[in-house]
Amino acid sequence: QLASLVNEAALLTTRKNSPTISMEILEAAKDKVLMGAERRSLIITDREKRITACHEAGHALVAWMLPGADPVHKVTIIPRGRALGLTMQLPEEERNSHDRTFLFNNLCTLLGGRIAEEIVFNQMTTGAGNDIERVSDIARRMVCEWGMSETIGPLTFRASNPLSNQPGQIISEQTAVLIDVEVKKLVQSAYDRARGLLEEHRALLDAITDALIERETLSRADIQAIIATNERK
């Protein structure tokens, strides 16, 4: 990974005709490696840009306000890969396992984008499609693989895997319904937590959205400055 990062930085340095690899170039290389190449040629309407900014502001603000979540490193509305915007969180230390609080906070953060759209625009867009897919996967694994449901307890329910020819467990209809109820309850709890945070800090949500529209990319320090400014008002 480090070799890929430095190679990308070397390419950027050559394109810029720079005699040295600066920290700015390394940062740009890291963004490309982790988030994909920029797609500045993509035509986006002003309304789409504001919805994307609001969406990413929702992710960033929920992550910022939740203790135990990975720190927000950067937020951007410059399209990269298939995404119109991205919120990057980077851990402060290596993680080899995740506790329930961390996973629950992850659910809240992922739902923050969709909820921000609902609060500000009173509508839903397809931009949260990948977020919802990830939320569904994490919540179901919490219940079915990691024994994190108090109602079901420390049990594993394995689905069939056609790639490895592993048969799945035979699950009764009653248990299947209970699993669905527990997954839905977990996601709804995360949704309510994230919505409460965004409604409580609506002024900050709008401030981060406006800053993203103006600057397109915000660092952790930028977000910290926005929060400090709003707290003084």
Side-chain angles (χ1 to χ4, degrees):
Q1 289 175 325
L2 287 172
S4 177
L5 173 66
V6 175
N7 285 337
E8 187 60 46
L11 291 172
L12 292 174
T13 301
T14 303
R15 293 189 196 118
K16 292 176 179 289
N17 292 319
S18 173
T20 58
I21 298 178
S22 64
M23 282 303 298
E24 182 184 356
I25 291 175
L26 277 170
E27 182 74 16
K30 184 203 67 180
D31 287 350
K32 185 174 181 182
V33 170
L34 293 180
M35 298 191 292
E38 292 183 355
R39 290 194 298 154
R40 288 188 176 272
S41 60
L42 187 67
I43 298 173
I44 302 174
T45 66
D46 289 343
R47 177 169 175 77
E48 280 182 319
K49 188 174 182 180
R50 178 162 284 278
I51 291 174
T52 301
C54 175
H55 182 103
E56 297 306 326
H59 284 314
L61 187 54
V62 171
W64 192 282
M65 293 297 173
L66 286 173
D70 282 338
V72 177
H73 175 69
K74 182 173 290 186
V75 188
T76 182
I77 57 170
I78 298 172
R80 288 178 178 271
R82 296 173 58 187
L84 294 179
L86 286 164
T87 297
M88 182 192 290
Q89 294 171 258
L90 292 179
E92 295 180 314
E93 56 188 17
E94 292 292 333
R95 290 181 185 272
N96 296 305
S97 65
H98 303 297
D99 58 35
R100 191 182 189 281
T101 299
F102 176 85
L103 293 168
F104 181 78
N105 288 346
N106 204 350
L107 295 179
C108 296
T109 300
L110 286 167
L111 290 167
R114 160 60 66 86
I115 295 168
E117 292 178 21
E118 292 176 0
I119 291 172
V120 176
F121 299 98
N122 195 30
Q123 69 170 11
M124 304 174 186
T125 71
T126 57
N130 182 250
D131 298 331
I132 293 172
E133 183 178 345
R134 290 167 65 192
V135 163
S136 302
D137 179 60
I138 293 170
R140 188 160 290 275
R141 294 183 74 183
M142 288 174 72
V143 172
C144 295
E145 294 183 29
W146 301 323
M148 293 182 176
S149 163
E150 293 181 2
T151 301
I152 292 177
L155 297 173
T156 296
F157 300 95
R158 186 181 63 250
S160 60
N161 187 347
L163 296 179
S164 61
N165 293 319
Q166 283 186 340
Q169 291 173 275
I170 297 176
I171 301 174
S172 68
E173 184 177 343
Q174 182 181 3
T175 301
V177 170
L178 183 59
I179 288 171
D180 287 341
V181 168
E182 286 300 292
V183 171
K184 175 70 187 305
K185 186 164 52 172
L186 186 58
V187 173
Q188 187 63 51
S189 178
Y191 178 95
D192 293 341
R193 175 79 169 117
R195 188 175 185 101
L197 285 171
L198 291 176
E199 288 178 341
E200 180 184 353
H201 301 284
R202 172 62 192 273
L204 272 177
L205 176 65
D206 293 338
I208 296 172
T209 300
D210 291 341
L212 275 171
I213 292 171
E214 180 184 347
R215 294 181 246 173
E216 292 190 318
T217 299
L218 299 176
S219 66
R220 178 173 177 80
D222 293 331
I223 298 173
Q224 204 157 21
I226 293 169
I227 290 174
T229 299
N230 275 264
E231 285 177 348
R232 289 194 296 267
K233 289 181 179 178

